[in-house]
Amino acid sequence: MNQDKIKAAAAALRQARATRVAIPRISEQFGIQGADEAYAVARCNSVQDIAEGRRVVGKKIGLTSQAVQQQLGVDQPDYGVLFADMEFLSGSEVPASRLIQPKAEGEIAFVVGRDLDGESLSWGRFLHGLEYALPAIEIVDSAIQDWKLTLVDTVADNASCGLYVLGLEPRAIGTVDFALAGMDFRKNGHTASVGSGVACLGNPLLAAYWLAGTMLQLGDPLKAGDVILSGALGPMFPFLAGDHLHLSIAGLGSVDCRTA
């Protein structure tokens, strides 16, 4: 793996985020090829973020829609890192000025209650390790011009992480049918996206299980208190500063925010 091109691509993405100016595909600019090189670019920036004092509080899962996977020619999701300064709570004013070209997705978030480490992770142990579920608005954001992404570009750009907003009323894992949980996501009072849990790998729990197993294999297991954004329940949509976003998910309640 050519470390010079990895570092150059990471620096370009970092500069784009700092200046809020989107750039052409780094896959083409720097010859970044395949998921391994893309994750290396993302790790390069995450390591620098942590060195500068940002705190990791969880992970997000992307590409959970089979239609999107087929479009990008992949057979599994991707993941990105969530930092503490990305998190907002329902009712907050979210700063659009921190973003480049944001879009909103309705998701189910899980909170890990026990470390998901060890040599292996069974389904039962995984379920035992999840404490709560919450409705969540993920504000995705891309540093790549016009959202014209390849798999490599979104992975390298920390899975297009932006910000996220969590609901205030956690539900116990066993009280919700996540696959059948219907979503109604509104912008300024008008429905902008609808969907359900089945759109997220068939069940958001399966997406979270994939993530937990993947992170265990990579030697970076999920820990107690980590937040998992499990993937979109319906299509994402763009918004502008001043818009009001309100998400309702059956069995989980609602979460809302205003952008500024």
Side-chain angles (χ1 to χ4, degrees), residues 104-106 137 183-195 235 237-239 243-249 254-259:
E105 294 180 340
I137 295 171
M183 173 194 81
D184 179 46
F185 200 174
R186 302 192 172 206
K187 179 172 72 172
N188 301 325
H190 301 285
T191 297
S193 179
V194 295
F237 59 88
F239 63 89
D243 285 342
H244 178 254
L245 306 178
H246 181 89
L247 170 71
S248 296
I249 299 178
S254 62
V255 53
D256 73 338
C257 67
R258 184 170 295 280
T259 59

Side-chain angles (χ1 to χ4, degrees), residues 108-112 130 132-134 173 178 204-205 208 226-228 230:
I108 294 173
F110 297 107
V111 180
V112 178
L130 294 183
Y132 301 114
L134 296 161
I173 296 301
F178 295 106
L205 282 173
D226 280 352
V227 171
I228 301 171
S230 61

Side-chain angles (χ1 to χ4, degrees), residues 114-138:
R114 298 168 182 83
D115 293 354
L116 297 176
D117 54 9
E119 294 183 2
S120 63
L121 186 64
S122 68
W123 177 246
R125 186 161 171 265
F126 163 72
L127 292 176
H128 186 63
L130 294 183
E131 194 78 20
Y132 301 114
L134 296 161
I137 295 171
E138 184 185 359

Side-chain angles (χ1 to χ4, degrees), residues 34 41 65 68 130 219 240 250:
V41 173
S65 162
V68 174
L130 294 183
L240 300 173

